[in-house]
Amino acid sequence: MDQSMHGLIGLSGAEWQDLCTRVLRVHHGTDLVVVPDKGGDHGLEAYTLSGHLFQCYSPDEPLTTSKRYEKQRAKTTVDVGKFISNSDKLKKLFGEHVKINRWIILCPYIDSKDLAAHCASQTKRVREAGLTYVDPDIHVICQTMEDYEFSYKKVVNAQLARMHLPPLAEPDYSSVGSGGVDKMREKLAKVHSLRDESRRNDYVQRLLYSYLNSQEFRAYIKDHYTEIHALLESELDDLEQRLVMEFVLDESRAATQLQKVLIETEQRVKKCAPDTSSSDSRTLAQGQVADWLMKCPLDFYEELAS
């Protein structure tokens, strides 16, 4: 899976449906007909005048491969059943000129070949139903956003172009657990320039300010810019893996390590949201580094006092 799409796993059903609709609009243009949820459950989100029908499904994660497949299989079976049983409603919906030739379940992630096999069995089921709004050569298939990569990236780029974060507010420091703050102070004491307690306390306070505001920023991004949120979370998860596997082996001075992590984290943020202001990018980056300091992925080689 493309790294930029990995963060789509775990989107809520509403978030996934909204993203799919916007990507499909770009991909199919005016050929796409979106079916509103109100007015009855037709078992589909949208269809095209050329005969492609879409059902969008994002199961609650995390899941094992087998559990994910079971949920995707069950969803496909149920909604293909609705496609067959709701024949009176669907005849009116499609009219005389639309014949469905592709019934598509669109998921954030498919990691079992068994889903394709199940779709093949559902193809046989639909063909045998003899529906007037179905093309005789219909296929039930499963897809992910990788099948719409160009359109997906156009949607992401459009979001990037208009992304604006709310102004910073004075955060509520009482919401941060004292254990995490103590752990941060202990780690930062290894940085030579922060051994002075007063100086270190000021640095910790600044990191906590960024941490709490970055949480607000990320919640706002998730609510208003789903694709950017997915990309940002994916990039930061990837960087965290580097902290665990690579930075832990770095024996350079603590100050050098800390500066390196701060710079690389900000670069990852800017990669995901290049039009974000420098101050907002720093807040997001410093907030993530504060999180790592409090929750263990980031630590420094012990510097002995001279």
Side-chain angles (χ1 to χ4, degrees), residues 160 163 228 231 268-277 281 284:
L160 289 173
M163 180 173 166
I228 299 173
L231 182 57
R268 296 288 186 114
V269 172
K270 291 296 285 184
K271 175 183 176 182
C272 301
D275 291 335
T276 306
S277 69
S281 295
L284 285 163

Side-chain angles (χ1 to χ4, degrees), residues 63-171:
L63 294 167
T64 62
T65 295
S66 61
K67 286 294 184 183
R68 186 178 297 110
Y69 162 65
E70 286 174 12
K71 287 180 175 290
Q72 291 167 338
R73 179 188 63 193
K75 179 66 173 175
T76 303
T77 302
V78 168
D79 287 335
V80 167
K82 291 178 182 178
F83 180 65
I84 295 171
S85 63
N86 289 336
S87 57
D88 291 341
K89 292 180 182 179
L90 295 177
K91 282 178 188 176
K92 294 178 182 178
L93 181 66
F94 300 133
E96 297 180 2
H97 306 294
V98 174
K99 299 287 185 182
I100 302 302
N101 54 66
R102 294 291 184 273
W103 191 103
I104 300 166
I105 183 164
L106 190 51
C107 303
Y109 187 47
I110 297 171
D111 56 345
S112 172
K113 64 181 183 300
D114 291 336
L115 185 60
H118 181 66
C119 285
S121 72
Q122 295 302 296
T123 295
K124 183 175 183 292
R125 179 187 179 193
V126 175
R127 290 183 179 184
E128 290 177 348
L131 302 166
T132 58
Y133 46 86
V134 169
D135 187 289
D137 293 325
I138 188 173
H139 288 274
V140 175
I141 61 175
C142 50
Q143 292 183 334
T144 69
M145 205 53 71
E146 289 185 281
D147 294 288
Y148 302 90
E149 183 175 2
F150 178 76
S151 298
Y152 168 75
K153 289 184 175 178
K154 285 190 70 173
V155 169
V156 172
N157 290 335
Q159 289 285 72
L160 289 173
R162 64 183 180 86
M163 180 173 166
H164 298 286
L165 295 176
L168 291 175
E170 186 60 30

Side-chain angles (χ1 to χ4, degrees), residues 13-254:
E15 291 169 339
W16 176 242
Q17 182 176 337
D18 176 68
L19 173 60
C20 289
T21 299
R22 283 183 285 129
V23 171
L24 291 172
R25 284 189 193 279
V26 171
H27 190 84
H28 291 287
T30 57
D31 196 41
L32 186 76
V33 179
V34 177
V35 180
D37 291 334
K38 293 181 180 179
D41 183 5
H42 291 85
L44 68 149
E45 259 76 66
Y47 67 93
T48 67
L49 300 180
S50 58
H52 287 194
L53 179 149
F54 299 94
Q55 178 59 287
C56 309
Y57 178 57
S58 178
D60 293 334
E61 296 280 355
L63 294 167
T64 62
T65 295
S66 61
K67 286 294 184 183
R68 186 178 297 110
Y69 162 65
E70 286 174 12
K71 287 180 175 290
Q72 291 167 338
R73 179 188 63 193
K75 179 66 173 175
T76 303
T77 302
V78 168
D79 287 335
V80 167
K82 291 178 182 178
F83 180 65
I84 295 171
S85 63
N86 289 336
S87 57
D88 291 341
K89 292 180 182 179
L90 295 177
K91 282 178 188 176
K92 294 178 182 178
L93 181 66
F94 300 133
E96 297 180 2
H97 306 294
V98 174
K99 299 287 185 182
I100 302 302
N101 54 66
R102 294 291 184 273
W103 191 103
I104 300 166
I105 183 164
L106 190 51
C107 303
Y109 187 47
I110 297 171
D111 56 345
S112 172
K113 64 181 183 300
D114 291 336
L115 185 60
H118 181 66
C119 285
S121 72
Q122 295 302 296
T123 295
K124 183 175 183 292
R125 179 187 179 193
V126 175
R127 290 183 179 184
E128 290 177 348
L131 302 166
T132 58
Y133 46 86
V134 169
D135 187 289
D137 293 325
I138 188 173
H139 288 274
V140 175
I141 61 175
C142 50
Q143 292 183 334
T144 69
M145 205 53 71
E146 289 185 281
D147 294 288
Y148 302 90
E149 183 175 2
F150 178 76
S151 298
Y152 168 75
K153 289 184 175 178
K154 285 190 70 173
V155 169
V156 172
N157 290 335
Q159 289 285 72
L160 289 173
R162 64 183 180 86
M163 180 173 166
H164 298 286
L165 295 176
L168 291 175
E170 186 60 30
D172 176 15
Y173 294 99
S174 65
S175 63
V176 184
S178 60
V181 177
D182 290 342
K183 189 173 293 183
M184 185 192 301
R185 293 182 195 278
E186 180 183 339
K187 292 177 179 180
L188 291 175
K190 300 174 186 177
V191 179
H192 184 80
S193 57
L194 296 177
R195 285 179 181 165
D196 177 78
E197 186 173 1
S198 175
R199 197 171 187 180
R200 185 166 67 254
N201 287 341
D202 179 66
Y203 197 84
V204 167
Q205 189 72 9
R206 290 174 183 274
L207 280 175
L208 288 176
Y209 177 84
S210 292
Y211 169 74
L212 290 166
N213 274 298
S214 73
Q215 298 302 301
E216 293 294 322
F217 278 173
R218 285 164 77 164
Y220 185 87
I221 292 170
K222 182 177 181 180
D223 289 342
H224 295 83
Y225 305 99
T226 303
E227 303 77 42
I228 299 173
H229 176 263
L231 182 57
L232 179 63
E233 296 302 310
S234 179
E235 284 290 333
L236 294 178
D237 285 347
D238 179 68
L239 184 53
E240 182 172 323
Q241 292 304 310
R242 286 197 58 209
L243 291 179
V244 173
M245 298 303 296
E246 296 177 34
F247 282 82
V248 71
L249 304 175
D250 190 343
E251 296 185 359
S252 59
R253 295 177 65 87

